[in-house]
Amino acid sequence: MTDNPPVGGQPAAPTPQPPVDPPAGSADAPEGPPARLWDRMRDDPQYAPEHLALEAVRRLGPEAEQWADRVRAGQPGISSDALADLAARKFVNLARLSGAVSGAAGLPGAVIDVGVLAWTQARMVLHIAAAYDVDPLHSDRATDLLVLQRVHKVAESARLALGVAAGRERADALFGLGGQRPLGRIMLQLGVRLAQMAGVRAAKRIVAKIVPGAAIVLGTWANSSATRDLAQRSRELYRPRGAALPGPRQP
């Protein structure tokens, strides 16, 4: 997909370049959404969280399942709670690092940062699901992601929005959805939608990239706090009914 042409004779704002994807299955460093997903979200920012949730299940579900199987094989008898705690601690720690992935300033850097954070959180949710033997590849996990990340309040509206996003993916593949809209406006809308999904206010993320030194404070605190809260909600959803839920642990 190509960038929008200059508007009114002025050069268009540069499209942020997402980080290079690490090898599939790597969970030792913050990983951003794949380039194809960035293009899809840029072309359809209104449904960016839905596109991210659909792609996360497709791309990260197998990784989560393989991780759970690998840990269980190496630690026979490990409980589901202990496995979920491993996942939560790993991805809360990665969330702390995600604010420095892009290395870019201003709005483009803020958009990339919240996208990396939302993607990291989606990985965590799917890993916690796998820890409790809930299929991380099932399409219902995309619905779970949108409700857990508070993009939608109830599963019914999340499923409806996912259906719309999936239809727009198919239409984009056939006809293309990219319009002639100012890129700066698109990036702002995309940043707000991804920040909503990641549980971080867009203004904080933008300020963190513009004010020198603020990124360290706001990025570390906001990312880890939002991700820790999401981990607790994920445990509550996937843990078997009637089982006592351990209190939140500090990573």
Side-chain angles (χ1 to χ4, degrees):
M1 300 182 184
T2 59
D3 294 337
N4 295 326
V7 178
Q10 297 298 321
T15 301
Q17 296 300 315
V20 176
D21 298 338
S26 171
D28 297 324
E31 172 189 342
R36 182 180 62 180
L37 176 58
W38 276 116
D39 286 343
R40 190 181 304 142
M41 293 191 298
R42 184 193 63 186
D43 288 345
D44 194 20
Q46 178 182 356
Y47 287 93
E50 287 79 12
H51 291 305
L52 190 148
L54 289 168
E55 186 67 20
V57 173
R58 288 191 291 254
R59 184 179 177 94
L60 303 178
E63 170 194 303
E65 184 177 55
Q66 292 163 13
W67 169 83
D69 290 344
R70 185 168 62 250
V71 175
R72 288 190 177 105
Q75 302 182 45
I78 187 172
S79 70
S80 295
D81 284 334
L83 196 57
D85 192 55
L86 284 176
R89 283 185 292 171
K90 174 187 287 288
F91 290 106
V92 168
N93 288 334
L94 289 181
R96 285 198 181 103
L97 304 175
S98 64
V101 169
S102 70
L107 180 59
V111 172
I112 291 177
D113 286 351
V114 293
V116 170
L117 178 57
W119 189 251
T120 298
Q121 291 177 344
R123 294 176 81 192
M124 180 188 69
V125 171
L126 295 174
H127 278 64
I128 290 176
Y132 287 112
D133 292 313
V134 177
D135 185 3
L137 286 77
H138 196 282
S139 60
D140 283 350
R141 300 295 81 75
T143 301
D144 294 345
L145 283 171
L146 294 177
V147 175
L148 284 167
Q149 293 177 289
R150 295 175 174 170
V151 176
H152 294 276
K153 293 182 179 180
V154 295
E156 289 76 9
S157 63
R159 291 192 189 98
L160 178 61
L162 286 166
V164 173
R168 292 167 75 89
E169 282 186 19
R170 291 189 292 269
D172 186 26
L174 291 173
F175 309 112
L177 289 177
Q180 302 299 316
R181 295 173 294 167
L183 187 57
R185 186 181 303 171
I186 292 173
M187 295 308 297
L188 181 60
Q189 183 180 8
L190 177 57
V192 169
R193 293 292 286 155
L194 291 176
Q196 177 190 5
M197 186 178 196
V200 180
R201 295 174 62 182
K204 284 187 177 181
R205 301 304 304 133
I206 294 173
V207 169
K209 296 300 290 187
I210 296 176
V211 178
I216 298 174
V217 177
L218 288 179
T220 297
W221 178 83
N223 290 5
S224 61
S225 177
T227 307
R228 190 181 297 111
D229 290 346
L230 176 61
Q232 186 71 5
R233 295 196 299 273
S234 301
R235 290 189 183 101
E236 292 169 357
L237 176 65
Y238 294 127
R239 203 166 194 271
R241 299 288 182 182
L245 184 68
R249 303 179 185 180
Q250 297 296 326

